[in-house]
Amino acid sequence: GQNIDQPTEMTATEGAIVQINCTYQTSGFNGLFWYQQHAGEAPTFLSYNVLDGLEEKGRFSSFLSRSKGYSYLLLKELQMKDSASYLCAVSDSNYQLIWGAGTKLIIKP
Amino acid sequence: ETGVTQTPRHLVMGMTNKKSLKCEQHLGHNAMYWYKQSAKKPLELMFVYNFKEQTENNSVPSRFSPECPNSSHLFLHLHTLQPEDSALYLCASSPLSGGSSGANVLTFGAGSRLTVL
């Protein structure tokens, strides 16, 4: 079957760095996506990786290793507003998104 | 208005009621989606419409009935629901559906929180 695994919850300190991991097993691969969802709000698109390596976008970076079925989202210089759930999703061979259950990130002062 | 708008934001209904959720997008996208989001579970894709034609029905019970009158509007009609249907229902849109990873860059609405008593 198809499966996406990510930690349920993580806690980090304001100003620090946090890495949210995502591992996947899917039938085919057409890209890995990260979405951010603040409580009570819509998920919003953060990043997309289709080739191995690191994609940097401001304070957020996303890494992909296709051979290992592994990705991480790296958040630097954490701010209180980064408290949210982070959803990992993989586009399979049919370009269908397979979703993880999300990682709730709690930022403490 | 811009983006994807969903109404109502909150809905409480009994198991014998009939209600509808509405979604509207002002992005000029051609694909629209209904997702179910339950606590601590992955998003579940329910329906996909591409150019207002249904292209995906993910084995959803018939008590959920979608309607897409045009590329900008999407409805989810609800009747004789069960308490386990209580969840956040998210609408999303994308420029197109399938065939490329660009179809996976979704713009979501804030959702309709449904409680079935």
Side-chain angles (χ1 to χ4, degrees), chain A residues 4 8-9 30-31 33 35 37 40-45 48 50 87 90-92 94-97 99-102, chain B residues 9 35 37 40-45 48 56 58 88 90 98-111:
Chain A
I4 310 286
T8 303
E9 187 173 299
N30 281 303
F33 296 76
Y35 283 77
Q37 185 178 21
E41 297 183 15
T44 56
F45 169 75
Y48 160 61
V50 66
L87 312 179
V90 171
S91 179
D92 70 7
N94 295 317
Y95 294 96
Q96 295 271 25
L97 279 175
W99 295 85
Chain B
R9 291 294 310 275
Y35 277 93
Q37 186 175 38
K40 299 185 179 180
K41 289 186 177 180
L43 287 177
E44 296 175 47
L45 178 64
V48 181
E56 188 82 27
N58 231 14
L88 182 68
L90 290 166
S100 81
S101 296
N104 298 139
V105 180
L106 304 176
T107 302
F108 284 89

Side-chain angles (χ1 to χ4, degrees), chain A residues 75-88:
Chain A
L75 290 74
K76 301 177 184 177
E77 300 169 16
L78 285 170
Q79 302 176 8
M80 297 303 291
K81 66 178 182 180
D82 297 329
S83 293
S85 288
Y86 292 86
L87 312 179
C88 174

